[in-house]
Amino acid sequence: MKSLAPSLLLALWAGAALAVPPETSRPMTQERALTDAVFVRPLYGTYRHCGGACLKSGELSWFCFQKQSCYLSCATAPPLMKCAVP
């Protein structure tokens, strides 16, 4: 019974350490909130015309609000066209 207590304590400590993710391991792209892109020109407000190209899809075009930045990921099919909130 004495040998079971240290191993149980060690297992609880390891489980608690794995349950709390470190704050520094998050990628930069997940810190900025991504919103859906708009594919027709907005009638109201200022907007930013975004564009890019992927090898298989060719030229791509979408719109974001003025204070948002454009985000394009060609790693997915279809390409991910989003607007990033700074």
Side-chain angles (χ1 to χ4, degrees), residues 3-78:
S3 65
L4 183 61
S7 61
L8 183 61
L9 183 62
L10 182 61
L12 287 174
W13 178 78
L18 290 175
V20 178
E23 287 294 321
T24 58
S25 67
R26 284 190 302 185
M28 287 297 288
T29 57
Q30 289 185 359
E31 287 183 5
R32 299 187 315 181
L34 295 178
T35 59
D36 291 331
V38 177
F39 297 103
V40 294
R41 193 183 89 178
L43 294 176
Y44 304 105
T46 57
Y47 61 90
R48 177 184 305 253
H49 183 242
C50 302
C54 292
L55 190 59
K56 291 183 178 180
S57 301
E59 292 288 323
L60 302 168
S61 178
W62 68 100
F63 297 94
C64 294
F65 288 111
Q66 187 66 31
K67 294 193 178 201
Q68 293 177 325
S69 57
C70 305
Y71 177 79
L72 173 65
S73 174
C74 295
T76 60

